Amino acid sequence: MSDRTIQNLFLANKSFLDSMPKPLKVIKAIEKITTCRTSALGTSVYVCPKDNTVHEQYHSCRHRHCFLCAEKKRQEWLENQKSKLLDCPHFHVVFTIPHDYLSVWRFNEALLSRYLFRASQDTAMELLGSEKYGGICPGIMMALHTWGRKLDLHPHMHCLVSAGGLTKQGDWRALGNFLVPGDVIRTLFRGKFQALIKQGFERGELVLPQDLSTSGFWQLYRRAYKKTWCVRIQERYEHGKGVACYLARYCKGGPLHPKQLVMIDNRQVHMSYLDHRDKRVKTQGLKREEFFKRYLSHIPVDGLHTVRHFGLYAPASKARHARCAAHVGTLTGVDPSYGERLKAMLICCRECGSAMRLSYQRWRAEKGISINKESLQDRASGPVQQVDESVHATALRETDRPPPSWAPIFFGLNA
């Protein structure tokens, strides 16, 4: 399967998607996914300085649910995390809310996402801050995921917790091979989340589904207290890069990789998934309506940050982070090959191999911006970037230069 498989699937079912009732966030996502790297989003025009060969590079949509343009953003995100993650062992902790709350989640996605972040943060910081379990302020990176391996609704929080941190005296203290007891962290997390959801309901912030009455909510609330909540603590990693790479696959690009799409017909979409119970790759067939319903239900709410940092990794803890980095170091410089190659990437002419220069850019016309109304017509307009005025003027004066020869290009490295 090509990287455009998901985009082609959306385009092939455009009439069906248009007829679906959907919120504004889904409408925006569908529009961006279907127009990514097409002429609809505008183009950057590159010209070879030697033989005037011209290449048009279509713009990306940059939507966080689009797989087509996610690879570069994913690698850039990883490079940024290397400067934050301390070069010390880390624990991978996963907080999951009971599926009893799934109906409530669908009506309160943004609110319950904040509750899940808050409950997970307070649980980890409170336990590790007590002298019984370390007495430290750790570095924590959290990433919200809402899907399971079958694309079903499964809200959970991935947490990368440093196996060490600063004491109240400002000294570095390393933890052992174990984080905290499982029963303790499960009980505390349940209490934190239950307190938040009760508070939200009493304040009138929580919206109940039509089939759930007030008495039904309190029955659901009490029933959740009787359950053992799922908080999984993985074995200690020697560094956090492995977990960061795992999270990067899902923080950018959506919940599905095109390679998972095994077969697509008029009725069903067949996708593969790894069953975590027996570690076997299995295949499931979903009806077209069900597939799009599951896939689009995981588009995050506009403005919701699905990755956040706390403790030593918080933006307000730069001084404490620098003190720890001086003691244990960071992951900066670990496996820098891709990041360095990314910075050195050039668009090269296939005819002569020379680096092509950006001539001008055309952007899609946005509503209310009259200056770009003709930006997608066959002429140059819109803002000019990365070139000086003389180069742009030369690009516009078509009669003053030989006709360009259109040829394919290739991406090379700046040696």
Side-chain angles (χ1 to χ4, degrees):
M1 294 288 180
S2 69
D3 291 347
R4 290 187 178 270
T5 301
I6 297 178
Q7 183 187 53
N8 293 336
L9 180 61
F10 273 74
L11 290 172
N13 294 273
K14 190 176 185 305
S15 58
F16 169 74
L17 292 172
D18 292 340
S19 64
M20 285 178 55
K22 47 192 176 293
L24 180 60
K25 65 169 187 174
V26 173
I27 296 176
K28 292 180 179 179
I30 293 175
E31 179 186 5
K32 292 190 175 183
I33 291 174
T34 53
T35 57
C36 182
R37 294 187 181 177
T38 65
S39 58
L41 294 184
T43 181
S44 295
V45 178
Y46 293 83
V47 179
C48 177
K50 292 185 177 180
D51 56 11
N52 289 331
T53 299
V54 177
H55 168 69
E56 280 192 290
Q57 186 74 25
Y58 294 135
H59 295 162
S60 301
C61 68
R62 298 187 178 185
H63 193 275
R64 51 182 166 178
H65 225 60
C66 176
F67 180 85
L68 188 58
C69 60
E71 180 61 24
K72 183 179 178 182
K73 290 295 180 182
R74 189 181 297 120
Q75 295 299 333
E76 289 176 348
W77 182 82
L78 268 177
E79 292 298 318
N80 293 332
Q81 300 310 308
K82 288 181 182 179
S83 61
K84 294 181 181 179
L85 296 179
L86 298 172
D87 191 10
C88 68
H90 282 72
F91 289 96
H92 182 196
V93 186
V94 184
F95 295 91
T96 307
I97 64 173
H99 281 195
D100 302 63
Y101 282 128
L102 290 187
S103 60
V104 182
W105 178 281
R106 291 187 176 95
F107 283 80
N108 306 269
E109 185 178 349
L111 182 64
L112 292 194
S113 296
R114 293 199 300 270
Y115 289 171
L116 185 51
F117 269 111
R118 179 69 179 274
S120 304
Q121 172 202 356
D122 291 349
T123 300
M125 295 295 292
E126 182 176 327
L127 287 179
L128 294 179
S130 65
E131 291 296 332
K132 185 176 181 180
Y133 301 113
I136 62 171
C137 175
I140 303 177
M141 181 178 71
M142 294 186 178
L144 173 66
H145 289 177
T146 60
W147 57 86
R149 298 180 186 272
K150 296 182 178 181
L151 290 184
D152 50 342
L153 185 59
H154 180 64
H156 57 285
M157 187 72 65
H158 289 272
C159 300
L160 188 60
V161 184
S162 63
L166 282 184
T167 62
K168 294 180 180 180
Q169 294 75 27
D171 300 323
W172 172 264
R173 178 184 294 173
L175 299 179
N177 294 326
F178 301 96
L179 189 63
V180 293
D183 291 339
V184 174
I185 193 172
R186 280 191 288 267
T187 303
L188 184 59
F189 171 66
R190 180 183 62 187
K192 296 285 185 183
F193 189 88
Q194 289 282 84
L196 289 171
I197 202 170
K198 178 183 178 181
Q199 183 184 59
F201 181 74
E202 292 176 342
R203 289 180 177 179
E205 299 173 349
L206 204 66
V207 179
L208 297 183
Q210 295 180 352
D211 58 347
L212 184 63
S213 62
T214 302
S215 60
F217 170 78
W218 289 119
Q219 292 177 3
L220 172 65
Y221 177 81
R222 290 190 292 268
R223 187 167 64 247
Y225 251 126
K226 298 178 181 179
K227 288 190 172 184
T228 300
W229 289 32
C230 180
V231 179
R232 189 174 73 253
I233 304 177
Q234 305 281 58
E235 294 183 3
R236 193 180 75 161
Y237 292 80
E238 289 306 314
H239 53 74
K241 183 175 180 293
V243 181
C245 291
Y246 170 80
L247 297 179
R249 296 202 303 265
Y250 301 99
C251 296
K252 309 288 182 181
L256 188 67
H257 194 286
K259 291 182 179 179
Q260 292 181 252
L261 296 175
V262 180
M263 185 178 65
I264 303 172
D265 52 36
N266 295 331
R267 296 183 177 181
Q268 285 191 332
V269 178
H270 300 266
M271 56 167 287
S272 63
Y273 67 95
L274 177 64
D275 193 332
H276 67 277
R277 295 179 178 84
D278 54 12
K279 305 300 180 183
R280 292 184 178 181
V281 177
K282 299 180 180 179
T283 303
Q284 71 168 352
L286 297 174
K287 292 183 179 179
R288 181 182 60 172
E289 297 81 358
E290 181 65 19
F291 172 80
F292 285 113
K293 178 183 176 181
R294 292 191 184 188
Y295 186 90
L296 296 174
S297 66
H298 303 300
I299 294 175
V301 179
D302 290 343
L304 176 66
H305 295 273
T306 56
V307 179
R308 303 181 186 181
H309 301 81
F310 303 98
L312 296 177
Y313 294 153
S317 300
K318 292 183 179 179
R320 293 189 297 174
H321 180 272
R323 190 181 308 170
C324 295
H327 184 77
V328 298
T330 64
L331 294 180
T332 303
V334 177
D335 189 20
S337 56
Y338 189 89
E340 295 301 323
R341 288 172 53 217
L342 196 62
K343 295 177 182 179
M345 194 70 72
L346 295 173
I347 295 183
C348 299
C349 177
R350 186 174 292 274
E351 300 297 328
C352 63
S354 301
M356 304 185 80
R357 299 179 59 183
L358 178 63
S359 177
Y360 62 92
Q361 294 179 314
R362 294 194 296 250
W363 301 91
R364 72 178 298 178
E366 297 291 345
K367 184 177 180 181
I369 304 178
S370 59
I371 192 173
N372 280 336
K373 284 184 177 179
E374 308 296 333
S375 61
L376 293 181
Q377 292 187 4
D378 201 12
R379 65 188 182 95
S381 63
V384 181
Q385 299 181 2
Q386 303 180 16
V387 291
D388 56 21
E389 294 182 358
S390 61
V391 175
H392 181 55
T394 303
L396 295 180
R397 293 163 55 191
E398 300 289 341
T399 57
D400 295 343
R401 67 177 184 180
S405 58
W406 297 81
I409 56 92
F410 67 94
F411 290 92
L413 295 179
N414 187 7

